[in-house]
């Protein structure tokens, strides 16, 4: 069942939607060629905001939980995508170990792990959970609300491999974002696939790097379709290390917030948008929507910066900070503000849900206590766009739009992981050979020009 949507749409989004629907063959070919050059993360989820005049991702999670919020109808899609991913990575795979978050798991997270286990078990793998939490010393079986059970075991490290007692996995799937850093137990594994790779953890990963990659992707995609990339891209600024307790930290915040708000105002004026622009200040690393500060005018920062330094530091994220253009969400479910979250395995959209919050406004963070989730049906006809339908009038068209934006974010994530891969770091200074002709190459497959690998992908030399 598709939830009823009440979406305040106006000119540009209809035009954008029609452009994307008309260009479906071109778009799908573009994605296909991207995946010939780049490896997608094994899985990810993308938070998307639909402002009516703009549709853009605001967060990309490479260790997604919430799998239990997907509709049961999309399970076949998820299983097929998992099968395709495993066949590509390790066709002979028999055993998969999932590494969950450290600490005592809550009921919602346990339900997500159970659904993830179900997906990969139906894909043909023996699936067990191995914890790297030093506090987990022995196996424990946990009862789930639906009557099923989940067994959590301590991971065991041999000289070169990681596994469980009497269980040697070919592939290790991390569902632990490594916020505290990559523990030694996960390093120097031989002949085992660790997915996502260690550099995807928050000890290395930065949101600013991801959105820098996404900005490059949106420019290329915008050129392909002949659209302004801003319509699908949230502008951002990076403030580096910020400590609000220091005077320099407050000045850095003022300067970057003012500059970004000025850019957004120019765009709003260009498109005749009467909404009040805003930016969101948040930590450049980490997840779960923590530590967000919404700013609509640089003057709004003054009362905060004039507070005692210790109190101000409790409100403004410390450390590396990203300042991101705020994107409104005009989606509604039963009069409550909603935003779509799209889930992918390998390069395939497998489902999603609406994050709904009755107590939050259209310019506020919805990933907060009090949110609930309404599954999106991405199966059968709901997954396929209807080019003949009027733009803005068809739920399948809207879902296809979500899927396109989410996949653009996944392409950006693949660029991001390549840019931080220790084994590929030297590629930025040395040429390599294309696997296929680049956009500007006029050569055949047997006579390709060398391409120079740069952080945002490959460009023809």
């Amino acid at each position: 069942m598709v939830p009823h949507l009440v979406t305040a749409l106006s000119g540009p989004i209809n035009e954008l939607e029609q452009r994307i629907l008309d260009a479906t063959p071109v778009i799908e070919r573009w994605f296909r060629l991207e995946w010939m050059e780049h490896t997608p993360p094994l899985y990810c989820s993308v938070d998307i905001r639909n402002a009516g005049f703009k549709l853009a991702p605001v967060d990309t999670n490479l260790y997604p939980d919430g799998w239990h919020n997907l509709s049961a109808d999309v399970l076949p899609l998820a299983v097929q995508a998992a099968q395709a991913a495993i066949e590509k990575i390790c066709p002979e795979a028999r055993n998969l170990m999932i590494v969950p978050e450290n600490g005592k798991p809550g009921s919602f997270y346990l339900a997500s792990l159970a659904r993830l286990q179900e997906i990969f078990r139906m894909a043909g793998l023996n699936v067990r959970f191995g914890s790297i939490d030093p506090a987990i010393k022995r196996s424990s079986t946990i009862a789930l609300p639906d009557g099923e059970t989940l067994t959590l075991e301590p991971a065991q490290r041999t000289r070169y491999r990681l596994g469980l007692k009497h269980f040697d996995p070919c592939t290790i799937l991390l569902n632990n974002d490594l916020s505290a850093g990559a523990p030694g137990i996960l390093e120097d594994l031989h002949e085992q696939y660790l997915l996502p790779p260690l550099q995807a953890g928050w000890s290395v990963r930065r949101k600013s790097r991801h959105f820098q990659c996404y900005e490059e992707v949106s420019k290329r995609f915008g050129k392909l379709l002949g659209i302004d990339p801003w319509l699908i891209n949230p502008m951002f600024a990076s403030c580096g290390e910020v400590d609000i307790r220091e005077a320099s930290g407050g000045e850095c915040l003022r300067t970057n917030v003012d500059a970004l708000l000025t850019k957004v105002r120019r765009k709003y004026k260009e498109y005749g948008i009467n909404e009040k622009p805003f930016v969101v200040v948040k930590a450049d690393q980490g997840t779960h929507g923590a530590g967000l500060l919404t700013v609509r005018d640089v003057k709004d920062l003054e009362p905060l910066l004039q507070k005692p330094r210790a109190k101000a530091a409790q409100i403004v994220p410390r450390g590396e900070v990203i300042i991101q253009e705020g994107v409104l969400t005009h989606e509604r479910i039963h009069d409550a503000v909603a935003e779509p979250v799209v889930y992918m395995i390998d390069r395939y959209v497998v489902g999603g849900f609406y994050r709904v919050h009755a107590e939050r406004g259209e310019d506020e963070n919805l990933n907060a206590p009090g949110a609930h989730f309404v599954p999106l049906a991405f199966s059968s006809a709901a997954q396929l766009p209807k080019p003949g339908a009027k733009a803005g009038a068809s739920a399948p068209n809207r879902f296809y739009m979500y899927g396109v934006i989410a996949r653009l974010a996944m392409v950006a994530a693949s660029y991001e992981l390549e840019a931080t891969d220790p084994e590929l770091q030297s590629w930025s200074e040395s040429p390599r050979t294309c696997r296929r002709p680049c956009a500007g190459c006029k050569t055949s497959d047997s006579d390709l020009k060398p391409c120079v690998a740069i952080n945002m992908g490959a460009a023809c030399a």
Side-chain angles (χ1 to χ4, degrees), residues 49 120 160 389 410:
R49 306 274 286 199
F120 282 96
Y160 293 121
M410 180 174 253

Side-chain angles (χ1 to χ4, degrees), residues 152-429:
L152 195 61
E153 306 172 67
Q156 297 180 355
R157 176 68 191 248
T158 59
R159 185 176 181 183
Y160 293 121
R161 295 177 74 84
L162 184 67
L164 302 170
K165 188 176 181 180
H166 307 308
F167 188 77
D168 184 29
C170 164
T171 304
I172 299 167
L173 177 61
L174 288 177
N175 201 244
N176 182 318
D177 64 16
L178 305 180
S179 295
I185 194 172
L186 295 177
E187 296 177 341
D188 301 319
L189 297 176
H190 288 214
E191 298 181 354
Q192 278 182 310
Y193 295 94
L194 182 66
L195 303 170
L198 289 179
Q199 73 266 23
W202 281 120
S203 57
V204 175
R205 190 175 181 232
R206 296 294 182 271
K207 296 172 186 175
S208 55
R209 184 183 293 119
H210 174 76
F211 281 101
Q212 182 182 9
C213 293
Y214 184 82
E215 182 176 54
E216 180 67 19
V217 170
S218 66
K219 287 178 180 177
R220 294 178 52 222
F221 189 79
K223 185 176 181 180
L224 179 75
L225 267 61
I227 62 172
D228 182 352
W230 177 76
L231 295 173
I232 57 172
N233 176 45
M235 294 189 288
F236 76 97
S238 180
C239 210
E241 288 280 348
V242 169
D243 188 344
I244 202 66
R245 295 173 297 183
E246 302 293 333
S248 58
E251 187 56 37
C252 175
L253 205 57
R254 282 190 196 93
T255 301
N256 283 278
V257 165
D258 188 42
L260 187 56
L261 280 171
T262 299
K263 290 180 181 178
V264 179
R265 288 189 191 105
R266 288 193 192 118
K267 279 294 182 182
Y268 277 31
K269 184 177 181 180
E270 177 184 346
Y271 284 92
I273 298 165
N274 295 322
E275 304 284 355
K276 187 174 179 62
F278 65 102
V279 298
V280 177
V281 181
K282 52 188 175 182
D284 204 10
Q285 60 189 119
T287 186
H288 304 306
L292 300 182
L293 174 65
T294 300
V295 183
R296 295 169 183 81
D297 192 298
V298 71
K299 295 178 182 178
D300 297 341
L301 286 174
E302 295 308 318
L304 174 63
L305 298 177
Q306 290 171 8
K307 286 178 179 286
R309 297 296 185 190
K311 289 186 177 180
Q314 295 175 5
I315 302 173
V316 179
R318 290 182 61 190
E320 295 176 70
V321 166
I322 180 174
I323 302 164
Q324 189 178 61
E325 174 191 354
V327 182
L328 299 169
T329 178
H330 283 175
E331 302 277 15
R332 297 286 188 279
I333 294 182
H334 305 306
D335 295 326
V337 176
E339 65 182 7
V341 183
V342 176
Y343 279 64
M344 288 165 288
I345 295 178
D346 196 59
R347 58 193 176 115
Y348 304 102
V349 174
V350 300
F353 55 78
Y354 274 103
R355 181 183 290 119
V356 185
H357 206 303
E359 299 177 2
R360 292 292 176 108
E362 60 187 18
D363 60 349
E364 294 183 291
N365 171 40
L366 305 187
N367 190 9
H372 67 280
F373 309 96
V374 177
L376 282 170
F378 275 84
S379 60
S380 64
Q383 188 192 21
L384 302 176
K386 296 181 179 180
K390 181 180 178 182
S394 168
N397 290 348
R398 179 69 21 75
F399 295 164
Y400 181 71
M401 288 276 290
Y402 295 160
V404 168
I405 298 301
R407 285 183 290 165
L408 290 175
M410 180 174 253
V411 172
S414 70
Y415 288 10
E416 175 192 358
L417 294 180
E418 289 170 8
T420 53
D421 188 338
E423 296 182 5
L424 299 179
Q425 289 288 329
S426 61
W427 284 22
S428 61
E429 299 176 358

Side-chain angles (χ1 to χ4, degrees), residues 42-93:
L42 181 76
Y43 60 3
C44 78
S45 66
V46 180
D47 295 359
I48 297 172
R49 306 274 286 199
N50 181 358
F53 53 85
K54 179 170 186 160
L55 186 68
V58 293
D59 192 37
T60 301
N61 186 359
L62 298 184
Y63 301 93
D65 54 14
W67 291 93
H68 61 299
N69 292 320
L70 304 185
S71 168
D73 294 338
V74 306
L75 275 180
L77 290 177
V79 171
Q80 289 175 352
Q83 287 174 330
I86 294 299
E87 287 170 6
K88 183 171 61 177
I89 296 165
C90 183
E92 299 84 10

